Amino acid sequence: MTDNKEMKKELSCVDCGTQNCKYKDRNYPEFCLTTGLDKEDDDWAMEKYAEGKNHDIMVASAEVEYEGYCQWTRVQEIMEFARKTGARKIGIANCIGLINEARIFAKILRANGFEPYSVICKVAGKAKSSVGIPKECEAIGSAMCNPILQARLLNRAHTDLNVVIGLCVGHDSLFYKYSEAYVTTLVTKDRVTGNNPAAALYTAQSYYKKKFGM
């Protein structure tokens, strides 16, 4: 981990104790990103919500949050979101280690009138060393994950919405970058916590305190 003493502390939203940006006529810290917002940045963001399908995505997201608040699972939310945005063909970018979860999700999608189309992370079966990954990394598996190709094949399949199921840290970043369809995440991989990365945050002050250098 990075030595905190070497880092310049630049205050941001995680350092705020008020979260008053959702209210009016409240006090804000001096470093508040809301009160210190550049009008150009504010205008730019608001204009983007009217660009392409962004407006429909924002409205559908808010409706799903409201209608299913503390009632719908993430799987349900994704399906309702897809219906509201007119997405029928659902791309699945899944880790090979979560193929069972991907199959269950695809089965649920089909039962609800959607058309799932999956591309697994090891597609093309390339060796990790073929892209310059150190040879020793092949000790846990010789085939590299291929998120850019996953995105390309889902683009070619003309999916309406893509769903990530357990792509590795960084591989998911590349997938998001190259996917032409909007992307949402169903499962975030964490091999240690059973794919529940928030568990490490909940125990950061207890079991994981020493591990995180806190």
Side-chain angles (χ1 to χ4, degrees):
M1 298 182 67
T2 304
D3 187 346
N4 291 333
K5 294 180 180 179
E6 298 177 358
M7 298 175 62
K8 178 183 178 182
K9 189 170 184 179
E10 186 175 9
L11 300 179
S12 63
C13 292
V14 293
D15 302 297
C16 175
T18 67
Q19 283 77 56
N20 280 340
C21 46
K22 58 185 177 182
Y23 303 109
K24 293 181 179 179
D25 303 322
R26 297 291 180 95
N27 294 321
Y28 302 89
E30 292 183 0
F31 60 84
C32 179
L33 301 188
T34 294
T35 57
L37 187 63
D38 190 308
K39 187 177 184 304
E40 182 180 351
D41 292 332
D42 191 15
D43 291 344
W44 177 86
M46 296 305 292
E47 289 171 5
K48 289 296 179 183
Y49 289 121
E51 186 176 286
K53 289 186 64 177
N54 291 351
H55 176 264
D56 295 340
I57 295 293
M58 283 297 290
V59 172
S61 300
E63 290 177 346
V64 167
E65 179 189 19
Y66 165 71
E67 294 169 13
Y69 198 74
C70 294
Q71 300 179 65
W72 294 344
T73 66
R74 182 79 174 194
V75 171
Q76 291 172 291
E77 288 183 334
I78 289 173
M79 291 193 295
E80 292 301 323
F81 174 75
R83 290 189 182 101
K84 288 178 179 293
T85 56
R88 182 179 179 278
K89 190 169 186 178
I90 311 298
I92 301 174
N94 63 286
C95 167
I96 195 169
L98 282 86
I99 185 62
N100 289 332
E101 291 85 345
R103 285 172 177 155
I104 293 169
F105 182 53
K107 183 177 181 180
I108 293 171
L109 290 174
R110 289 192 177 105
N112 285 271
F114 296 100
E115 180 186 352
Y117 187 88
S118 165
V119 180
I120 206 162
C121 64
K122 301 297 185 183
V123 63
K126 299 288 187 181
K128 291 176 180 175
S129 56
S130 66
V131 293
I133 296 172
K135 187 71 176 178
E136 58 264 28
C137 293
E138 295 186 357
I140 58 171
S142 60
M144 75 177 213
C145 294
N146 205 334
I148 294 177
L149 184 57
Q150 281 179 290
R152 183 176 177 86
L153 294 181
L154 289 177
N155 293 344
R156 186 165 290 172
H158 302 293
T159 53
D160 302 312
L161 173 69
N162 290 332
V163 178
V164 167
I165 296 182
L167 296 188
C168 296
V169 171
H171 297 153
D172 53 1
S173 302
L174 288 170
F175 179 79
Y176 299 141
K177 179 177 181 178
Y178 287 96
S179 172
E180 292 177 358
Y182 288 90
V183 183
T184 191
T185 299
L186 175 56
V187 180
T188 301
K189 176 186 286 179
D190 189 325
R191 297 177 181 89
V192 174
T193 65
N195 300 321
N196 178 22
L201 303 179
Y202 299 145
T203 58
Q205 298 294 337
S206 54
Y207 300 116
Y208 275 72
K209 188 172 184 178
K210 291 184 178 179
K211 183 182 286 289
F212 292 148
M214 297 182 69

